[in-house]
Amino acid sequence: MALESGLESASNCVTEPLRQAKLAFPISGRVAEKRVKEGQRVKRGEVIYLLERRREQLEEKRAKLLLEDRSALNGARAREQMLGKQLTINRRLFERNQSISREELDKLILEHELALQEHARLVNEKRRQKVDHALAAESLRLRALSAPIDGVAASLKFEPGEMIDANQLAAHLVDVRSGVAVCHVEDQLARRLPVGAQVSLRILSGAPVMRRGEVIFAAPLMDPSSGLRRVKIAFENTDNAVILGAPAAIDGVTP
């Protein structure tokens, strides 16, 4: 592949991971465990840090026990059903031959109504307990910092026993299997680099490494201070031949 006549090779590019994640806790706390080391590969969902969480564990357990205890609810339901059957039988007796008094029937109606209300109250209580358990589980979950992507732990900022503030950078993960060259190029070249264009990259990672890439972004605006436009070119790096962060140059564009 070659640039069209009149265009020189563009070398104002820097490579970086196509996918990376900078992680922080949304809450403050003291580090209890650091489960990975810098440079270690991690899988998505793998726990990297744990904050002290004994209190949150106990609260989640308490909320779970309350939620799972249905003895009062089941008892209220059984009583309501029993009184409902008694009421049906006694209402028929009253209507047929008045073998029970109106006062006795009214008393049974009231007892059944109270049983219905108690059952409804306990149903609502279970709903509230379900919310309480969800909140306790979420509070516990927030004290674990997990990897959102497969990658390598490029940096880990804290050790067990240290305090972390909310939203303070704790870990940086990078997926080195694919990269992106972020280039700042003249408008004349940028016009020949629409999204989807195939590009030949020369990456200066020790000995130059050649990669075929694809344009995934072309800025619609020109930087007013430099007169350049930003273009991103994605490329594969499954062989890890490219040390991401290295400079790169565009060697050619498919006509």
Side-chain angles (χ1 to χ4, degrees):
M1 294 186 295
L3 291 171
E4 293 183 17
S5 177
L7 291 181
E8 298 178 353
S9 177
S11 59
N12 191 16
C13 304
V14 175
T15 59
E16 59 185 44
L18 182 60
R19 294 202 308 159
Q20 58 183 315
K22 294 183 178 181
L23 308 180
F25 283 97
I27 56 175
S28 60
R30 188 180 301 278
V31 177
E33 294 182 41
K34 176 184 175 184
R35 292 192 171 182
V36 302
K37 298 178 181 179
E38 287 188 347
Q40 181 178 331
R41 289 190 175 276
V42 295
K43 293 290 187 181
R44 180 180 179 181
E46 186 174 347
V47 174
I48 299 170
Y49 279 115
L50 283 176
L51 298 182
E52 292 179 349
R53 55 182 190 153
R54 178 60 176 165
R55 180 177 178 179
E56 287 75 16
Q57 286 176 318
L58 291 173
E59 179 58 29
E60 189 275 336
K61 185 176 181 179
R62 184 192 69 82
K64 184 178 181 181
L65 289 173
L66 287 174
L67 178 61
E68 292 178 346
D69 182 7
R70 301 182 65 85
S71 57
L73 180 61
N74 291 338
R77 179 59 176 166
R79 175 172 171 75
E80 181 273 320
Q81 290 177 337
M82 178 192 69
L83 289 172
K85 291 178 181 179
Q86 289 181 359
L87 179 59
T88 299
I89 293 171
N90 282 276
R91 182 176 279 127
R92 288 173 181 170
L93 291 174
F94 179 79
E95 291 172 351
R96 288 176 182 174
N97 52 26
Q98 295 188 346
S99 59
I100 66 167
S101 67
R102 182 74 216 186
E103 182 180 354
E104 290 174 318
L105 181 61
D106 288 344
K107 181 180 178 181
L108 192 55
I109 291 173
L110 178 59
E111 288 180 355
H112 182 247
E113 181 61 30
L114 291 174
L116 283 172
Q117 292 177 9
E118 176 64 8
H119 180 259
R121 185 188 70 79
L122 291 173
V123 167
N124 287 331
E125 177 69 11
K126 279 299 164 197
R127 291 172 179 161
R128 186 184 66 79
Q129 289 173 356
K130 185 176 182 180
V131 173
D132 288 345
H133 177 254
L135 290 172
E138 177 65 8
S139 179
L140 181 60
R141 186 191 68 80
L142 291 177
R143 305 190 79 80
L145 194 64
S146 301
I149 61 172
D150 293 346
V152 176
S155 66
L156 300 170
K157 303 294 186 180
F158 294 91
E159 297 296 329
E162 295 182 332
M163 289 295 298
I164 297 181
D165 292 331
N167 301 317
Q168 187 175 6
L169 179 64
H172 182 199
L173 305 183
V174 296
D175 183 353
V176 297
R177 297 170 300 178
S178 55
V180 60
V182 181
C183 305
H184 295 84
V185 301
E186 298 285 348
D187 180 60
Q188 185 180 13
L189 175 56
R191 290 175 183 272
R192 290 160 173 76
L193 296 171
V195 172
Q198 300 298 303
V199 177
S200 177
L201 290 171
R202 177 166 46 87
I203 301 170
L204 308 177
S205 179
V209 178
M210 301 303 297
R211 282 288 187 268
R212 183 181 180 87
E214 179 179 326
V215 176
I216 59 172
F217 173 78
L221 301 176
M222 183 184 298
D223 179 63
S225 60
S226 66
L228 302 177
R229 289 174 60 188
R230 185 162 56 99
V231 175
K232 293 184 177 182
I233 304 165
F235 61 90
E236 293 299 318
N237 189 40
T238 53
D239 59 359
N240 292 323
V242 175
I243 304 301
L244 298 176
I250 298 174
D251 261 14
V253 181
T254 300

PDB file of all heavy atoms in Angstrom, residues 29 48 130 165 167 222 226 248 254:
ATOM      1  N   GLY A  29     -12.308   3.549  52.352  1.00  0.00           N
ATOM      2  CA  GLY A  29     -12.131   2.426  53.268  1.00  0.00           C
ATOM      3  C   GLY A  29     -10.676   2.011  53.358  1.00  0.00           C
ATOM      4  O   GLY A  29      -9.806   2.569  52.682  1.00  0.00           O
ATOM      5  N   ILE A  48      -9.782  -7.654  42.410  1.00  0.00           N
ATOM      6  CA  ILE A  48      -8.428  -7.104  42.503  1.00  0.00           C
ATOM      7  C   ILE A  48      -8.138  -6.641  43.928  1.00  0.00           C
ATOM      8  O   ILE A  48      -7.103  -6.968  44.503  1.00  0.00           O
ATOM      9  CB  ILE A  48      -8.268  -5.933  41.516  1.00  0.00           C
ATOM     10  CG1 ILE A  48      -8.482  -6.432  40.087  1.00  0.00           C
ATOM     11  CG2 ILE A  48      -6.895  -5.282  41.659  1.00  0.00           C
ATOM     12  CD1 ILE A  48      -8.582  -5.333  39.067  1.00  0.00           C
ATOM     13  N   LYS A 130     -36.891  -7.401  51.372  1.00  0.00           N
ATOM     14  CA  LYS A 130     -36.209  -7.701  50.114  1.00  0.00           C
ATOM     15  C   LYS A 130     -35.377  -6.506  49.662  1.00  0.00           C
ATOM     16  O   LYS A 130     -34.233  -6.658  49.211  1.00  0.00           O
ATOM     17  CB  LYS A 130     -37.236  -8.070  49.040  1.00  0.00           C
ATOM     18  CG  LYS A 130     -36.615  -8.511  47.723  1.00  0.00           C
ATOM     19  CD  LYS A 130     -37.685  -8.958  46.734  1.00  0.00           C
ATOM     20  CE  LYS A 130     -37.050  -9.434  45.429  1.00  0.00           C
ATOM     21  NZ  LYS A 130     -38.081  -9.879  44.455  1.00  0.00           N
ATOM     22  N   ASP A 165      -9.417   6.740  49.413  1.00  0.00           N
ATOM     23  CA  ASP A 165     -10.538   7.673  49.359  1.00  0.00           C
ATOM     24  C   ASP A 165     -11.482   7.286  48.224  1.00  0.00           C
ATOM     25  O   ASP A 165     -11.076   6.642  47.249  1.00  0.00           O
ATOM     26  CB  ASP A 165     -10.045   9.102  49.135  1.00  0.00           C
ATOM     27  CG  ASP A 165      -9.287   9.642  50.339  1.00  0.00           C
ATOM     28  OD1 ASP A 165      -9.592   9.211  51.467  1.00  0.00           O
ATOM     29  OD2 ASP A 165      -8.387  10.483  50.138  1.00  0.00           O
ATOM     30  N   ASN A 167     -13.329   7.369  44.885  1.00  0.00           N
ATOM     31  CA  ASN A 167     -12.981   7.839  43.537  1.00  0.00           C
ATOM     32  C   ASN A 167     -11.486   8.075  43.340  1.00  0.00           C
ATOM     33  O   ASN A 167     -11.086   8.697  42.351  1.00  0.00           O
ATOM     34  CB  ASN A 167     -13.758   9.119  43.192  1.00  0.00           C
ATOM     35  CG  ASN A 167     -15.255   8.910  43.254  1.00  0.00           C
ATOM     36  OD1 ASN A 167     -15.764   7.900  42.779  1.00  0.00           O
ATOM     37  ND2 ASN A 167     -15.968   9.846  43.859  1.00  0.00           N
ATOM     38  N   MET A 222     -10.926  20.314  13.195  1.00  0.00           N
ATOM     39  CA  MET A 222      -9.482  20.536  13.191  1.00  0.00           C
ATOM     40  C   MET A 222      -9.088  21.231  14.492  1.00  0.00           C
ATOM     41  O   MET A 222      -9.811  22.104  14.978  1.00  0.00           O
ATOM     42  CB  MET A 222      -9.101  21.403  11.987  1.00  0.00           C
ATOM     43  CG  MET A 222      -7.612  21.662  11.825  1.00  0.00           C
ATOM     44  SD  MET A 222      -7.309  22.791  10.431  1.00  0.00           S
ATOM     45  CE  MET A 222      -7.949  21.815   9.068  1.00  0.00           C
ATOM     46  N   SER A 226      -3.034  23.635  16.315  1.00  0.00           N
ATOM     47  CA  SER A 226      -2.042  22.925  15.504  1.00  0.00           C
ATOM     48  C   SER A 226      -2.437  22.808  14.038  1.00  0.00           C
ATOM     49  O   SER A 226      -1.591  22.545  13.182  1.00  0.00           O
ATOM     50  CB  SER A 226      -1.814  21.523  16.069  1.00  0.00           C
ATOM     51  OG  SER A 226      -2.997  20.737  15.942  1.00  0.00           O
ATOM     52  N   ALA A 248       4.376   5.690  16.418  1.00  0.00           N
ATOM     53  CA  ALA A 248       4.063   4.978  15.183  1.00  0.00           C
ATOM     54  C   ALA A 248       3.946   5.968  14.041  1.00  0.00           C
ATOM     55  O   ALA A 248       3.855   7.185  14.245  1.00  0.00           O
ATOM     56  CB  ALA A 248       2.769   4.186  15.340  1.00  0.00           C
ATOM     57  N   THR A 254      -4.885   2.359   1.881  1.00  0.00           N
ATOM     58  CA  THR A 254      -5.485   1.715   0.723  1.00  0.00           C
ATOM     59  C   THR A 254      -6.176   2.762  -0.138  1.00  0.00           C
ATOM     60  O   THR A 254      -6.991   3.538   0.375  1.00  0.00           O
ATOM     61  CB  THR A 254      -6.509   0.658   1.165  1.00  0.00           C
ATOM     62  OG1 THR A 254      -5.844  -0.319   1.951  1.00  0.00           O
ATOM     63  CG2 THR A 254      -7.153  -0.004  -0.037  1.00  0.00           C
TER      64      THR A 254
END
